[in-house]
Amino acid sequence: MPFAVMDFELAEPIKEAITGMIQDSDAGYLGEIPELGENFASFASNRWGWKVNPKEVRIAPDVGVAVIEVARLISKPGEKIIINTPVYYNFFNWISEIHCQPLDIPLIAPSTLGEAYRLDLEAIETGYRDGAKVHILCHPHNPVGSIYPAEDLLQLADLAHKYGVTILSDEIHSPLIYEEGRYKPFLSISDSARDVGISFVSATKAFSFAGLKCAQMIAQGERSTSMLDRLPHAIHSRASLYGAVASSVAYGQCEPWLDAVIDYLDGARDHLAKLVSEKLPGVGYRKPDAGYFGWLDLRGVLNAEQIQDVANLMIEHGKIAVASGSLYGAGGRGFIRINFATSGEILEEAVNRIALALSQI
């Protein structure tokens, strides 16, 4: 249950496009594909009211590669890059790859189960003031499922503008929003956001073809655009032909499929809440605002030693694989992340196995 891949059939237009290419022996290099930018611009306008010029959409192999290469332009080895834990664990790997150091400014944890995690803007300003040049933002957030309020993003953009910080906004889960109008892409927030920010998006999570390898980078300010202009052209050509075609088809033809998936996931997050309430007494769970991860709080049912080894204990006693919250930083200790983008039967079996493990440890 730990991985970020949905347990669903691909959308038929994507299947048809890829199988058609195979049948035509079309397996060459990725060249220019203007329809991807055009289709993303239409998709962004339809879903979020975000106006994007198709020429602002650039291609990279995946979000990780794109963030790494942009951060490499800005930060020198040894410098600090801000992240907000608990956060997608590969952020640590990306920072390490360019020989920089993570500066963790943890999210403000909710005081009650019904609240969401928030950015600690006061502490972030301190980090900006102390010289950090790059802030990798996760929005919508993985693993906690939060969407940052527009007023927080406005303040964040103004702070970054004031201190000359570049915000690299990982928005890969942005198509998977449950409440229409709740989510605002970072670059859509203000002129300051467009000046300081670069958005990194991809169809691969929401349409479930991560192995096809294609992401998009968007810059809409003079300063941020000049940064992307400095990237090598190979960052485009190293993306997958199939990933680029699948992305173009996803954005252009598969919104009805996505709407159906979101409706299903909305029911699945409710189903998980019901299962946790019935079968996992003492375990906390807040339904996410976006994405398909259950972020389960086991701190009330495990001791410190058990928390440290929770993933192994789940496998040993429940034959259930989960992602230990410790992977996501210190603030994740005592949590586990599970994927609810699967059938109701599998989700119920997973919760039963977690309950079994907790009863035996």
Side-chain angles (χ1 to χ4, degrees):
M1 305 299 286
F3 298 109
V5 180
M6 296 193 292
D7 195 14
F8 306 144
E9 290 284 325
L10 290 176
E12 283 301 322
I14 295 172
K15 282 186 179 181
E16 291 171 4
I18 299 303
T19 55
M21 293 170 70
I22 295 294
Q23 289 168 357
D24 291 341
S25 297
D26 186 359
Y29 294 109
L30 172 62
E32 297 301 318
I33 182 166
E35 59 268 32
L36 198 163
E38 293 163 3
N39 290 347
F40 177 79
S42 177
F43 182 88
S45 179
N46 291 343
R47 309 301 287 196
W48 314 305
W50 180 22
K51 302 305 179 185
V52 177
N53 184 325
K55 294 182 179 179
E56 295 169 338
V57 181
R58 311 193 196 200
I59 293 175
D62 59 37
V63 167
V65 168
V67 170
I68 287 167
E69 293 306 319
V70 175
R72 197 193 306 273
L73 295 175
I74 306 166
S75 295
K76 298 177 182 178
E79 292 184 340
K80 293 181 178 180
I81 293 177
I82 290 176
I83 58 173
N84 311 109
T85 63
V87 76
Y88 178 46
Y89 56 83
N90 268 321
F91 281 17
F92 295 99
N93 296 329
W94 299 349
I95 292 168
S96 175
E97 186 168 332
I98 59 174
H99 307 291
C100 290
Q101 303 295 321
L103 174 57
D104 180 19
I105 300 177
L107 297 172
I108 299 173
S111 57
T112 65
L113 195 58
E115 296 177 353
Y117 285 79
R118 297 282 295 267
L119 292 166
D120 188 340
L121 292 164
E122 183 176 345
I124 288 171
E125 181 172 14
T126 299
Y128 288 1
R129 187 188 304 118
D130 289 346
K133 297 177 182 177
V134 173
H135 180 177
I136 305 178
L137 188 70
C138 193
H139 171 62
H141 196 280
N142 170 18
V144 305
S146 292
I147 294 172
Y148 302 127
E151 58 269 24
D152 288 6
L153 294 176
L154 280 167
Q155 188 174 343
L156 184 70
D158 289 343
L159 289 172
H161 188 268
K162 177 180 178 180
Y163 292 102
V165 175
T166 300
I167 294 178
L168 308 182
S169 186
D170 175 356
E171 302 181 355
I172 198 169
H173 294 282
S174 55
L176 296 169
I177 305 298
Y178 295 108
E179 294 181 33
E180 187 175 351
R182 178 85 179 274
Y183 165 78
K184 299 294 182 185
F186 182 69
L187 298 187
S188 72
I189 289 294
S190 66
D191 288 340
S192 290
R194 286 182 282 277
D195 180 63
V196 303
I198 298 172
S199 287
F200 301 85
V201 298
S202 178
T204 58
K205 291 298 183 194
F207 296 91
S208 206
F209 54 86
L212 297 186
K213 308 304 287 183
C214 185
Q216 294 78 55
M217 307 173 286
I218 298 99
Q220 295 186 304
E222 182 177 348
R223 174 172 169 259
S224 53
T225 297
S226 68
M227 290 180 187
L228 295 191
D229 287 342
R230 293 165 56 197
L231 291 172
H233 180 73
I235 199 170
H236 173 108
S237 60
R238 287 172 180 158
S240 160
L241 170 67
Y242 296 124
V245 170
S247 298
S248 179
V249 171
Y251 292 135
Q253 301 179 38
C254 298
E255 285 196 66
W257 181 93
L258 179 62
D259 289 337
V261 164
I262 292 171
D263 283 345
Y264 181 89
L265 293 176
D266 193 9
R269 64 178 183 152
D270 288 341
H271 188 199
L272 180 56
K274 182 173 183 289
L275 291 171
V276 170
S277 176
E278 292 175 352
K279 299 174 181 291
L280 301 177
V283 173
Y285 164 65
R286 177 187 178 272
K287 292 188 294 184
D289 302 316
Y292 46 76
F293 299 124
W295 184 241
L296 305 187
D297 184 356
L298 275 59
R299 292 174 298 175
V301 296
L302 297 179
N303 61 38
E305 183 178 349
Q306 292 165 341
I307 285 172
Q308 189 66 28
D309 198 32
V310 64
N312 288 331
L313 290 172
M314 287 289 161
I315 290 176
E316 179 182 354
H317 295 285
K319 299 297 185 287
I320 171 77
V322 300
S324 171
S326 297
L327 291 171
Y328 305 92
R333 293 186 73 251
F335 291 78
I336 59 174
R337 191 192 81 171
I338 65 170
N339 180 339
F340 57 75
T342 186
S343 70
E345 293 79 10
I346 289 176
L347 186 59
E348 186 160 354
E349 176 67 16
V351 173
N352 285 337
R353 293 188 184 205
I354 292 170
L356 175 63
L358 291 176
S359 72
Q360 295 185 3
I361 59 178

